[in-house]
Tab-separated table of all heavy atoms in Angstrom:
chain	number	residue	atom	x	y	z
A	1239	LEU	N	-20.493	26.058	-27.061
A	1239	LEU	CA	-21.015	25.717	-25.733
A	1239	LEU	C	-22.533	25.815	-25.753
A	1239	LEU	O	-23.091	26.801	-26.250
A	1239	LEU	CB	-20.411	26.645	-24.688
A	1239	LEU	CG	-20.742	26.364	-23.219
A	1239	LEU	CD1	-19.534	26.656	-22.326
A	1239	LEU	CD2	-21.940	27.186	-22.743
A	1240	GLY	N	-23.200	24.783	-25.236
A	1240	GLY	CA	-24.653	24.744	-25.217
A	1240	GLY	C	-25.181	24.600	-23.798
A	1240	GLY	O	-24.682	23.781	-23.024
A	1241	VAL	N	-26.200	25.384	-23.461
A	1241	VAL	CA	-26.830	25.354	-22.143
A	1241	VAL	C	-28.268	24.869	-22.308
A	1241	VAL	O	-29.039	25.434	-23.091
A	1241	VAL	CB	-26.825	26.752	-21.490
A	1241	VAL	CG1	-27.462	26.687	-20.099
A	1241	VAL	CG2	-25.415	27.310	-21.412
A	1242	VAL	N	-28.625	23.825	-21.586
A	1242	VAL	CA	-29.977	23.268	-21.652
A	1242	VAL	C	-30.900	24.028	-20.705
A	1242	VAL	O	-30.568	24.251	-19.534
A	1242	VAL	CB	-29.963	21.768	-21.291
A	1242	VAL	CG1	-31.385	21.248	-21.076
A	1242	VAL	CG2	-29.268	20.969	-22.384
A	1243	LEU	N	-32.051	24.423	-21.223
A	1243	LEU	CA	-33.119	24.999	-20.406
A	1243	LEU	C	-34.152	23.905	-20.190
A	1243	LEU	O	-34.710	23.369	-21.158
A	1243	LEU	CB	-33.749	26.207	-21.096
A	1243	LEU	CG	-32.793	27.302	-21.595
A	1243	LEU	CD1	-33.585	28.490	-22.145
A	1243	LEU	CD2	-31.844	27.755	-20.502
A	1244	ALA	N	-34.386	23.554	-18.937
A	1244	ALA	CA	-35.244	22.412	-18.608
A	1244	ALA	C	-36.564	22.877	-18.004
A	1244	ALA	O	-36.676	23.984	-17.463
A	1244	ALA	CB	-34.522	21.476	-17.634
A	1245	ALA	N	-37.548	21.999	-18.096
A	1245	ALA	CA	-38.894	22.303	-17.605
A	1245	ALA	C	-38.967	22.202	-16.085
A	1245	ALA	O	-38.112	21.599	-15.434
A	1245	ALA	CB	-39.896	21.333	-18.235
A	1246	ALA	N	-40.003	22.787	-15.545
A	1246	ALA	CA	-40.274	22.662	-14.118
A	1246	ALA	C	-40.400	21.189	-13.751
A	1246	ALA	O	-40.965	20.393	-14.502
A	1246	ALA	CB	-41.566	23.402	-13.760
A	1247	ASN	N	-39.822	20.829	-12.625
A	1247	ASN	CA	-39.872	19.467	-12.063
A	1247	ASN	C	-38.991	18.454	-12.788
A	1247	ASN	O	-39.030	17.265	-12.455
A	1247	ASN	CB	-41.313	18.921	-12.000
A	1247	ASN	CG	-42.238	19.823	-11.217
A	1247	ASN	OD1	-41.831	20.438	-10.234
A	1247	ASN	ND2	-43.483	19.911	-11.649
A	1248	TYR	N	-38.215	18.890	-13.778
A	1248	TYR	CA	-37.256	17.979	-14.405
A	1248	TYR	C	-36.138	17.706	-13.412
A	1248	TYR	O	-35.737	18.596	-12.682
A	1248	TYR	CB	-36.688	18.623	-15.673
A	1248	TYR	CG	-35.671	17.784	-16.398
A	1248	TYR	CD1	-36.064	16.703	-17.176
A	1248	TYR	CD2	-34.301	18.061	-16.307
A	1248	TYR	CE1	-35.126	15.926	-17.842
A	1248	TYR	CE2	-33.370	17.284	-16.966
A	1248	TYR	CZ	-33.784	16.220	-17.732
A	1248	TYR	OH	-32.860	15.451	-18.391
A	1249	PRO	N	-35.606	16.478	-13.281
A	1249	PRO	CA	-35.833	15.306	-14.148
A	1249	PRO	C	-36.911	14.343	-13.660
A	1249	PRO	O	-37.056	13.270	-14.239
A	1249	PRO	CB	-34.467	14.626	-14.104
A	1249	PRO	CG	-33.957	14.901	-12.726
A	1249	PRO	CD	-34.448	16.275	-12.376
A	1250	ASP	N	-37.654	14.677	-12.635
A	1250	ASP	CA	-38.624	13.725	-12.076
A	1250	ASP	C	-39.887	13.622	-12.921
A	1250	ASP	O	-40.073	12.673	-13.680
A	1250	ASP	CB	-38.954	14.111	-10.633
A	1250	ASP	CG	-37.734	14.034	-9.728
A	1250	ASP	OD1	-36.930	13.101	-9.909
A	1250	ASP	OD2	-37.576	14.908	-8.856
A	1251	THR	N	-40.781	14.604	-12.800
A	1251	THR	CA	-42.034	14.611	-13.574
A	1251	THR	C	-42.179	15.969	-14.241
A	1251	THR	O	-42.876	16.854	-13.734
A	1251	THR	CB	-43.249	14.330	-12.666
A	1251	THR	OG1	-43.225	15.254	-11.548
A	1251	THR	CG2	-43.211	12.904	-12.141
A	1252	PRO	N	-41.492	16.160	-15.382
A	1252	PRO	CA	-41.476	17.482	-16.010
A	1252	PRO	C	-42.878	17.978	-16.346
A	1252	PRO	O	-43.733	17.229	-16.823
A	1252	PRO	CB	-40.668	17.258	-17.294
A	1252	PRO	CG	-39.889	16.014	-17.056
A	1252	PRO	CD	-40.719	15.178	-16.146
A	1253	ARG	N	-43.085	19.264	-16.079
A	1253	ARG	CA	-44.370	19.884	-16.414
A	1253	ARG	C	-44.350	20.321	-17.873
A	1253	ARG	O	-43.325	20.809	-18.367
A	1253	ARG	CB	-44.608	21.089	-15.508
A	1253	ARG	CG	-46.029	21.651	-15.584
A	1253	ARG	CD	-46.227	22.721	-14.530
A	1253	ARG	NE	-45.487	23.941	-14.854
A	1253	ARG	CZ	-45.053	24.809	-13.941
A	1253	ARG	NH1	-45.241	24.563	-12.646
A	1253	ARG	NH2	-44.417	25.904	-14.306
A	1254	THR	N	-45.443	20.160	-18.571
A	1254	THR	CA	-45.539	20.561	-19.973
A	1254	THR	C	-46.637	21.602	-20.139
A	1254	THR	O	-47.443	21.830	-19.248
A	1254	THR	CB	-45.839	19.351	-20.872
A	1254	THR	OG1	-47.094	18.764	-20.471
A	1254	THR	CG2	-44.746	18.297	-20.757
A	1255	GLY	N	-46.636	22.254	-21.309
A	1255	GLY	CA	-47.686	23.207	-21.638
A	1255	GLY	C	-47.388	24.643	-21.264
A	1255	GLY	O	-48.222	25.525	-21.497
A	1256	ASP	N	-46.202	24.929	-20.702
A	1256	ASP	CA	-45.846	26.307	-20.362
A	1256	ASP	C	-45.411	27.057	-21.608
A	1256	ASP	O	-44.619	26.559	-22.416
A	1256	ASP	CB	-44.718	26.330	-19.325
A	1256	ASP	CG	-45.178	25.840	-17.949
A	1256	ASP	OD1	-46.218	26.336	-17.483
A	1256	ASP	OD2	-44.515	24.962	-17.370
A	1257	VAL	N	-45.910	28.280	-21.783
A	1257	VAL	CA	-45.625	29.088	-22.966
A	1257	VAL	C	-44.188	29.607	-22.912
A	1257	VAL	O	-43.718	30.087	-21.875
A	1257	VAL	CB	-46.606	30.266	-23.070
A	1257	VAL	CG1	-46.239	31.169	-24.247
A	1257	VAL	CG2	-48.033	29.738	-23.238
A	1258	ILE	N	-43.488	29.499	-24.042
A	1258	ILE	CA	-42.102	29.955	-24.164
A	1258	ILE	C	-42.083	31.279	-24.922
A	1258	ILE	O	-42.651	31.390	-26.008
A	1258	ILE	CB	-41.250	28.918	-24.920
A	1258	ILE	CG1	-41.320	27.551	-24.237
A	1258	ILE	CG2	-39.797	29.394	-25.018
A	1258	ILE	CD1	-40.730	26.426	-25.073
A	1259	THR	N	-41.416	32.275	-24.346
A	1259	THR	CA	-41.311	33.582	-24.999
A	1259	THR	C	-39.849	34.009	-25.048
A	1259	THR	O	-38.998	33.473	-24.358
A	1259	THR	CB	-42.131	34.642	-24.248
A	1259	THR	OG1	-41.647	34.743	-22.897
A	1259	THR	CG2	-43.610	34.290	-24.224
A	1260	GLY	N	-39.591	35.024	-25.889
A	1260	GLY	CA	-38.278	35.654	-25.917
A	1260	GLY	C	-37.198	34.888	-26.640
A	1260	GLY	O	-36.006	35.124	-26.390
A	1261	LEU	N	-37.559	33.989	-27.531
A	1261	LEU	CA	-36.544	33.231	-28.262
A	1261	LEU	C	-35.782	34.157	-29.201
A	1261	LEU	O	-36.385	34.843	-30.024
A	1261	LEU	CB	-37.186	32.088	-29.053
A	1261	LEU	CG	-37.773	30.953	-28.216
A	1261	LEU	CD1	-38.593	30.014	-29.089
A	1261	LEU	CD2	-36.659	30.183	-27.519
A	1262	PRO	N	-34.442	34.194	-29.111
A	1262	PRO	CA	-33.667	35.095	-29.973
A	1262	PRO	C	-33.561	34.561	-31.394
A	1262	PRO	O	-33.675	33.358	-31.635
A	1262	PRO	CB	-32.292	35.126	-29.296
A	1262	PRO	CG	-32.181	33.782	-28.635
A	1262	PRO	CD	-33.576	33.426	-28.190
């Protein structure tokens, strides 16, 4: 089972450049 983590404002105008932390 896979869960998608999406960006702010997806699916309209997704925001980019946000730092991702805590990747297991």
